[in-house]
Amino acid sequence: MQTLLALNWKMNKTPTEARSWAEELTTKYAPAEGVDLAVLAPALDLSALAANLPAGIAFGGQDVSAHESGAYTGEISAAMLKDAGASCVVVGHSERREYHDESDADVAAKARQAQANGLLPIVCVGENLDVRERGEHVPQTLAQLRGSLEGVGADVVVAYEPVWAIGTGKTATADDAEELAAAIRGALREQYGARAEGIRVLYGGSVKPENIAEICGKPNVNGALVGGASLKVPDVLGMLDALR
Ligand code: 13P
């Protein structure tokens, strides 16, 4: 299975900045064997990425409407992302769940909509600090996963992002990541049978060049979803080098 290094820019980079980033990457990028790279950008940046990213690098959105089209002011449809050249989209990021009250059912509807339009959904799950401190992180995350994958096909990526490790500099240990990735794999087997072995499970939360190799070296961790360290090209190159 190819490792997936997915870069979540969050609400950073204007289209002009996106173009500069892609141009800088183009001058320095050498593909790492066995590693797929995807840039998850604000929707307005997608055309700059389509025009300027090196060949072979995927890009996608950070959210998608659960609706096909119509009177949903401000929303962006899966068909629009697809037409802009996107191949994937993040759904259910903890920041969407927290600031936009997205439920598991909302996330599943978005993932289904993405798949119906030929986009690969990257479905995010992960527990808050209080849940971890109570020791309930495994059952809570699996319940969130099952709800978020309701009716969703096996052409999906799952990202485990413990909320307490996002943007805090507190990385879960590689063993913490593997504990949840293995549990997620078990839940995927229940839902998808043998196809679960081909589903990539990512870890996200303060991933950087210094820790990515150990985390992605775990048997059930098939890549990383990276926020802060995705913004500067040298950090991205450092992560790719660490995965070589
Ligand atoms: P950081 O890498 O900045 O902790 O963000 C993780 C994340 O939320 C990626 O989706």
Side-chain angles (χ1 to χ4, degrees):
M1 190 185 322
Q2 291 276 114
T3 298
L4 177 59
L5 177 55
L7 308 176
N8 178 7
W9 282 356
K10 308 192 179 186
M11 197 178 73
N12 294 290
K13 297 198 188 296
T14 62
T16 303
E17 291 164 344
R19 193 183 66 220
S20 302
W21 186 97
E23 285 171 352
E24 183 182 349
L25 186 71
T26 302
T27 62
K28 300 173 181 162
Y29 173 68
E33 203 179 321
V35 181
D36 291 336
L37 192 58
V39 185
L40 303 156
L44 280 176
D45 294 349
L46 297 186
S47 59
L49 292 180
N52 295 289
L53 274 179
I57 298 184
F59 59 91
Q62 300 174 355
D63 182 35
V64 67
S65 178
H67 307 285
E68 185 66 36
S69 65
Y72 301 100
T73 301
E75 295 202 29
I76 292 173
S77 74
M80 292 169 188
L81 291 174
K82 183 77 181 167
D83 188 67
S87 58
C88 51
V89 63
V90 180
V91 293
H93 192 279
S94 61
E95 290 149 17
R96 301 287 318 170
R97 292 176 185 267
E98 183 178 352
Y99 305 135
H100 300 272
D101 281 334
E102 287 189 10
S103 66
D104 295 341
D106 295 331
V107 175
K110 290 178 175 204
R112 291 193 299 267
Q113 188 60 229
Q115 289 184 334
N117 285 276
L119 295 173
L120 177 69
I122 301 173
V123 175
C124 301
V125 293
E127 81 283 357
N128 291 317
L129 185 58
D130 59 320
V131 172
R132 175 154 288 255
E133 284 174 344
R134 288 202 303 275
E136 291 167 7
H137 47 289
V138 175
Q140 207 263 7
T141 300
L142 294 187
Q144 198 183 35
L145 180 74
R146 291 187 183 104
S148 303
L149 291 181
E150 184 93 48
V152 175
D155 208 0
V156 67
V157 171
V158 175
Y160 167 60
E161 298 206 307
V163 176
W164 50 271
I166 294 178
T168 57
K170 280 188 202 156
T171 322
T173 64
D175 287 338
D176 290 335
E178 172 62 13
E179 178 192 28
L180 257 295
I184 287 169
R185 184 85 54 205
L188 293 173
R189 281 189 195 113
E190 283 168 23
Q191 182 162 348
Y192 300 112
R195 284 178 302 171
E197 311 311 323
I199 296 178
R200 288 181 285 193
V201 179
L202 314 183
Y203 167 77
S206 299
V207 174
K208 49 191 184 229
E210 295 75 31
N211 61 18
I212 193 168
E214 189 188 0
I215 293 168
C216 292
K218 291 290 174 184
N220 283 289
V221 181
N222 313 117
L225 182 56
V226 182
S230 72
L231 297 174
K232 295 204 179 97
V233 168
D235 286 337
V236 173
L237 297 173
M239 289 188 286
L240 278 173
D241 284 342
L243 292 172
R244 278 179 218 279

